[in-house]
Amino acid sequence: DAGVIQSPRHEVTEMGQEVTLRCKPISGHNSLFWYRQTMMRGLELLIYFNNNVPIDDSGMPEDRFSAKMPNASFSTLKIQPSEPRDSAVYFCASSGLAGASEQFFGPGTRLTVL
Amino acid sequence: QQQVKQSPQSLIVQKGGISIINCAYENTAFDYFPWYQQFPGKGPALLIAIRPDVSEKKEGRFTISFNKSAKQFSLHIMDSQPGDSATYFCAAGNNDMRFGAGTRLTVKP
């Protein structure tokens, strides 16, 4: 199994531009999580989906952030417009069991907003 | 609003020593307590996890001790090795996890 796949691995953009991060969860997993990691705030849960339905988006920082999961094998996290304070590593993770269980993390996308 | 508090922020241990990292949580409804290990440039990976029906779980050199009444749990790394040098995160939750701030462990040869 290829594990959780994220793209791009690195993204450099200018303030005000739209940024789209992509995630392919492990096949058969029915929960998907988006995290943001920074030195100051650590690892923060942004949103998670169960069976493609958003369950909790209380961690999404503001309306500039949106996430979708159109099918079981694909999710996107969009930032529009981007700001320098959005610079961070964004991780996608998936899990396959009902309830709390191991989450498998992708390699992350390092986003730099200039 | 921080639901999981982790300490220390950083830890330096000599090779062969014991590394101990502590976490405290607030929500008594949490039923899953994992520890993740993260190397630079990589995503976190599950190291070991425990559920609240047991007080201790051991896997090789890694042990979780869990105190339900105190709402605390800890990771012990026995015979620490330089290859254990990484950042360790505790987490707690149900379907979704809340992560601690992380502990940067350095094991000196």
Side-chain angles (χ1 to χ4, degrees), chain B residues 3 22 25-27 29-30 39 44 56 59 61 72 74 78 103 106:
Chain B
Q3 298 190 48
N22 300 298
Y25 63 97
E26 298 174 356
N27 190 333
F30 289 161
F39 293 103
E56 185 174 282
E59 291 184 359
R61 297 185 294 109
Q72 295 175 346
S74 60
M78 311 298 288
T103 296
T106 302

Side-chain angles (χ1 to χ4, degrees), chain A residues 37 45 91 99-100 102-103, chain B residues 32 36 38 51 94-95 98:
Chain A
Q37 186 174 41
L45 176 65
F91 288 103
E102 178 178 3
Q103 293 182 19
Chain B
Y32 183 66
Y36 282 80
Q38 185 179 28
R51 296 195 185 266
N94 303 98
N95 289 315
R98 298 295 186 251

Side-chain angles (χ1 to χ4, degrees), chain A residues 29-33 35 48-51 55 94-104, chain B residues 29-34 36 51 92-97:
Chain A
H29 282 189
N30 60 0
S31 294
L32 183 140
F33 308 82
Y35 291 90
Y48 83 95
F49 296 83
N50 193 45
N51 293 324
I55 303 300
S94 70
S95 67
L97 298 175
S101 62
E102 178 178 3
Q103 293 182 19
F104 294 81
Chain B
F30 289 161
D31 64 359
Y32 183 66
F33 303 89
Y36 282 80
R51 296 195 185 266
N94 303 98
N95 289 315
D96 57 314
M97 293 290 110

Side-chain angles (χ1 to χ4, degrees), chain A residues 9-23:
Chain A
R9 292 294 311 277
H10 302 273
E11 177 80 29
V12 180
T13 191
E14 293 188 348
M15 182 173 63
Q17 296 299 305
E18 177 180 296
V19 175
T20 299
L21 311 181
R22 297 172 176 79
C23 175

Side-chain angles (χ1 to χ4, degrees), chain B residues 41-100:
Chain B
K42 305 290 186 182
L46 182 69
L47 187 63
I48 186 173
I50 198 169
R51 296 195 185 266
D53 53 343
V54 296
S55 60
E56 185 174 282
K57 182 174 182 180
K58 183 176 181 180
E59 291 184 359
R61 297 185 294 109
F62 302 93
T63 300
I64 298 180
S65 296
F66 183 79
N67 186 329
K68 188 174 181 178
S69 61
K71 294 187 287 185
Q72 295 175 346
F73 58 111
S74 60
L75 174 69
H76 291 63
I77 306 175
M78 311 298 288
D79 187 26
S80 299
Q81 299 297 311
D84 297 331
S85 297
T87 300
Y88 293 81
F89 295 92
C90 62
N94 303 98
N95 289 315
D96 57 314
M97 293 290 110
R98 298 295 186 251
F99 282 79

Side-chain angles (χ1 to χ4, degrees), chain A residues 83-109:
Chain A
E83 297 182 3
R85 60 192 168 119
D86 301 330
S87 297
V89 180
Y90 290 81
F91 288 103
C92 174
S94 70
S95 67
L97 298 175
S101 62
E102 178 178 3
Q103 293 182 19
F104 294 81
F105 282 75
T109 295

